[in-house]
Amino acid sequence: MAFLVSGTLRMAAQMADAQESLERKGKYNVQGPRVALTLSSPEVSASAVAILEGVFQTLGFESCWRRKASVQDFLEELTGFREQLDAHRAPMGCVLVALVAPSGQLRQPQKLIQELSGCEALRGCPKVFLLLSSAPGAAPKPGAFLTGLGELCGRCPHWSLLQLLTEVFCRTAEESSGTTYCPVLRSSLRGALCLGDVEPWGPEPEPSPSAQYDLSRDRAALFLAVTQDRPGAQHDVEALGSLCQALGFKTTLRTDPTAQGFQEELAQFQECLNRCRSPVSCALVALMAHGDLQGQLLGADGQAVQPEALVQELSHCQALRGCPKIFLLQACRGGHRDAGLGPTALSWFWRWLRAPSVIPSHADVLQIYADAQGSSSRGFTPGSCDQADILVVYAAAEGCVAYRDEKGSDFIQTLVEVLRAAPGGDLLELLTEVNRQVCELDVLGPDCDERRKACLEICSSLRRRLCLQA
């Protein structure tokens, strides 16, 4: 009994220390055990999996487990993996899971990701998922994505994984029929994640100027905001408008658009950019409205429009070819109110350690969609836009409620505060800090007396460092 209590308290202390490091430094402490798991379908060659595991070792994962199973059995395999991690009764430093299957077979990856997110041993730890498409019987030769990832992590160990991925995306993007395709990442990380075998709080090297987007030309922003029956929405519009003005964006505001108005306004915005005499270097679109249970935006007329369709519309803008396109979506993506994940350790010890008892259940996850042998993620993530140079930030995780009150939304208000404090920082890293602050908040919905948690989702196909300093 004393052994079990000692183990439980040691786990509580280690997890509290990791949480304190995240709050103090804004970086994950990944000095604990790192475990990688590869789940591959029978069509994937063993040689390709072996090469993938070599990349894992370069990234610092000591233990690499391998399972071959049909895609239908991936969930069962992940359940067994989770049970083995929980049986150790000790927190991990980081876990990396590679899901490798022929293109189009992983149709519902979120169920797989959610299964591992509930692992107690991984509570508060980063969970990285590589979702790799592979042609059946493909040659056992790593594509540019895996090669670049392994090389850069060994050469730039102080860089965060988001920085590394941005550079890898630049190397692996490909042109096809006038459109640039590249891998896509989806992040709910709350801090910088460095996997290099170095002391985690060391200084990061400054990237070269050529690694950044050139924002020296005009910047344009479009706000489409439904303010009817959305108390606090006007405060979001004013705060975001003031920030964009300080960052040099010429802003257009349209309030209370209908569902069709969302589409028409965005089409008109694109036409104006294409007709503009002076070149544009960046565009920002803020979409603020109610969302339905399917994650669609609701116009002032109560009709729905798919937000991904709006992202797709602007991706075809010729004036923005090769330029960053930023989308901010303040809207519900479903009706789930996340109570978060709490520790199973003795609650009085958590209070004594002053560690937060609840973390959003969707936090600390990084998903990377790419091709194992080739370079593009084309057709691998149904319903998502995989063109390059796009950044989409959702105020809530998929299926969850986005919170707002009379003072505005947690997402927009925190975003404005963070960007005003460090306008010259890397936008992906700043958004990670925004997510950390949002995840720490306890919120009360208008029809719920219990406290709930919120978590952002950041989707990026950026190929360069993006800094908005005017």
Side-chain angles (χ1 to χ4, degrees):
M1 179 67 179
F3 173 77
L4 291 177
V5 172
S6 175
T8 299
L9 298 184
R10 184 170 60 252
M11 178 177 179
Q14 288 174 327
M15 292 174 68
D17 180 66
Q19 179 66 27
E20 181 185 357
S21 296
L22 181 60
E23 292 176 354
R24 183 179 68 251
K25 299 291 186 177
K27 296 183 179 182
Y28 288 99
N29 186 343
V30 291
Q31 298 305 292
R34 304 185 195 180
V35 178
L37 168 69
T38 300
L39 289 179
S40 60
S41 65
E43 298 90 339
V44 179
S45 69
S47 299
V49 174
I51 293 171
L52 180 62
E53 291 173 348
V55 174
F56 295 166
Q57 293 176 358
T58 302
L59 294 174
F61 288 82
E62 306 93 348
S63 179
C64 300
W65 300 357
R66 180 191 300 185
R67 299 285 188 276
K68 180 168 284 191
S70 65
V71 176
Q72 292 75 16
D73 294 332
F74 277 12
L75 181 59
E76 181 180 348
E77 292 288 345
L78 275 177
T79 300
F81 181 61
R82 168 184 173 176
E83 292 172 351
Q84 292 180 36
L85 293 179
D86 279 333
H88 284 289
R89 295 184 175 275
M92 309 298 294
C94 182
V95 67
L96 191 156
V97 176
L99 306 175
V100 193
S103 300
Q105 287 197 12
L106 283 173
R107 294 185 176 87
Q108 293 182 314
Q110 296 307 314
K111 289 185 177 180
L112 304 175
I113 293 166
Q114 193 62 32
E115 171 62 28
L116 204 58
S117 296
C119 178
E120 181 64 22
L122 297 175
R123 180 180 178 274
C125 299
K127 297 162 278 286
V128 182
F129 290 83
L130 280 174
L131 296 102
L132 303 174
S133 61
S134 175
K141 175 172 129 180
F145 176 79
L146 291 179
T147 302
L149 184 60
E151 175 195 337
L152 282 171
C153 190
R155 184 162 58 87
C156 306
H158 285 94
W159 284 17
S160 74
L161 189 53
L162 292 185
Q163 287 178 305
L164 288 170
L165 289 170
T166 301
E167 176 65 23
V168 174
F169 287 7
C170 184
R171 295 185 180 191
T172 60
E174 67 175 351
E175 297 285 340
S176 177
S177 302
T179 304
T180 304
Y181 293 89
C182 79
V184 177
L185 69 84
R186 304 169 77 93
S187 172
S188 62
L189 296 179
R190 296 177 296 137
L193 175 57
C194 303
L195 295 179
D197 188 18
V198 294
E199 202 282 325
W201 316 130
E204 297 182 3
E206 285 293 328
S208 64
S210 61
Q212 296 186 188
Y213 285 104
D214 179 8
L215 301 190
S216 60
R217 296 167 292 177
D218 290 348
R219 310 178 187 191
L222 172 67
F223 297 174
L224 299 178
V226 174
T227 58
Q228 295 178 7
D229 193 31
R230 295 185 68 243
Q234 190 60 39
H235 291 293
D236 283 349
V237 171
E238 293 171 357
L240 196 57
S242 176
L243 174 67
C244 285
Q245 182 180 11
L247 293 174
F249 284 86
K250 180 181 179 181
T251 304
T252 300
L253 169 64
R254 297 289 184 267
T255 58
D256 299 321
T258 63
Q260 184 176 352
F262 270 102
Q263 296 174 312
E264 292 175 347
E265 291 291 348
L266 198 59
Q268 184 176 350
F269 181 64
Q270 176 181 323
E271 292 175 3
C272 289
L273 294 179
N274 284 332
R275 294 198 308 264
C276 187
R277 293 183 178 179
S278 57
V280 179
S281 59
C282 181
L284 184 150
V285 176
L287 307 174
M288 295 172 274
H290 284 299
D292 65 12
L293 295 179
Q294 288 71 45
Q296 299 182 104
L297 296 175
L298 296 178
D301 57 350
Q303 300 300 307
V305 60
Q306 186 63 249
E308 285 75 19
L310 302 177
V311 176
Q312 184 74 30
E313 175 71 25
L314 196 62
S315 69
H316 298 309
C317 180
Q318 290 299 314
L320 294 173
R321 186 173 178 80
C323 301
K325 296 162 278 288
I326 307 167
F327 288 82
L328 308 176
L329 279 79
Q330 171 55 44
C332 292
R333 302 179 70 194
H336 176 63
R337 290 173 170 80
D338 185 11
L341 297 173
T344 58
L346 298 177
S347 59
W348 64 273
F349 252 91
W350 286 95
R351 289 196 299 271
W352 178 66
L353 291 168
R354 289 185 289 185
S357 59
V358 176
I359 294 174
S361 59
H362 297 82
D364 308 309
V365 175
L366 175 63
Q367 307 167 47
I368 307 155
Y369 295 82
D371 191 292
Q373 276 77 32
S375 59
S376 76
S377 58
R378 206 172 333 173
F380 197 72
T381 52
S384 71
C385 178
D386 60 356
Q387 279 81 4
D389 309 307
I390 294 177
L391 175 63
V392 184
V393 189
Y394 296 92
E398 185 175 352
C400 293
V401 170
Y403 293 95
R404 167 188 38 79
D405 59 23
E406 290 79 6
K407 297 180 181 179
S409 65
D410 294 333
F411 167 43
I412 297 297
Q413 296 298 322
T414 305
L415 172 72
V416 170
E417 291 178 6
V418 170
L419 264 65
R420 279 194 177 280
D426 184 331
L427 187 55
L428 276 180
E429 303 292 349
L430 293 176
L431 288 170
T432 301
E433 171 61 18
V434 173
N435 188 42
R436 185 186 69 81
Q437 295 187 23
V438 170
C439 286
E440 289 180 354
L441 299 174
D442 291 321
V443 293
L444 286 172
D447 55 352
C448 180
D449 294 331
E450 298 181 6
R451 296 191 177 276
R452 294 291 184 253
K453 306 297 289 187
C455 179
L456 307 186
E457 182 175 327
I458 304 164
C459 302
S460 172
S461 63
L462 297 178
R463 296 180 292 162
R464 291 177 178 83
R465 193 168 183 259
L466 177 55
C467 303
L468 297 179
Q469 177 71 66

